[in-house]
Amino acid sequence: MTLRPPGKPATDLWRKSPAGVLDYEIAQETASALGRLGRALETALKALADFDAAEPLPGDRARRACLVATAARALWEFIVQREACGLRDTAVVVRMYKVPREVHDRMGAFSPGRP
């Protein structure tokens, strides 16, 4: 795979190897997707933490369950993308993002009707 610093024109790369241009664009999109999914995980975990910090009422269990499910899905998507990039250590993500145990336990478990 060919990697170049951002901002340089791809003309040299194109002349040397058209496949190198494609490799470069795939690497850019892979990194971009990983960043997007990481931000989505951070957002979902923050929403759950904010909800818990607000001392929810006992009747808010359904809303909290939805937030946990959303965070678990975001974690699963991020882990899958990391593994596609060759980064296989899930424990690093759990520690780095301070993922609650219940979110980690729900990762990959989807409710009926959702893929």
Side-chain angles (χ1 to χ4, degrees):
M1 185 176 323
T2 306
L3 295 176
R4 297 179 294 115
K8 288 194 171 193
T11 55
D12 273 354
L13 187 59
W14 180 254
R15 274 186 244 132
K16 289 180 185 174
S17 168
V21 174
L22 181 60
D23 286 343
Y24 177 72
E25 289 186 17
I26 289 171
Q28 278 186 316
E29 182 54 36
T30 301
S32 177
L34 188 61
R36 274 192 313 273
L37 293 171
R39 287 186 298 278
L41 174 60
E42 288 174 349
T43 301
L45 291 173
K46 182 168 178 359
L48 179 60
D50 290 347
F51 182 82
D52 287 344
E55 298 181 23
L57 300 173
D60 288 339
R61 286 189 309 205
R63 172 136 167 73
R64 187 174 191 288
C66 182
L67 289 170
V68 169
T70 301
R73 174 129 189 149
L75 176 62
W76 178 75
E77 290 173 353
F78 184 60
I79 294 296
V80 167
Q81 182 66 29
R82 278 179 49 90
E83 288 181 357
C85 294
L87 305 168
R88 307 255 189 267
D89 193 0
T90 302
V92 169
V93 173
V94 172
R95 277 192 315 271
M96 193 168 71
Y97 286 88
K98 297 181 177 112
V99 176
R101 187 76 200 158
E102 67 182 317
V103 171
H104 186 251
D105 290 345
R106 287 276 322 260
M107 179 180 74
F110 304 115
S111 59
R114 279 189 79 183

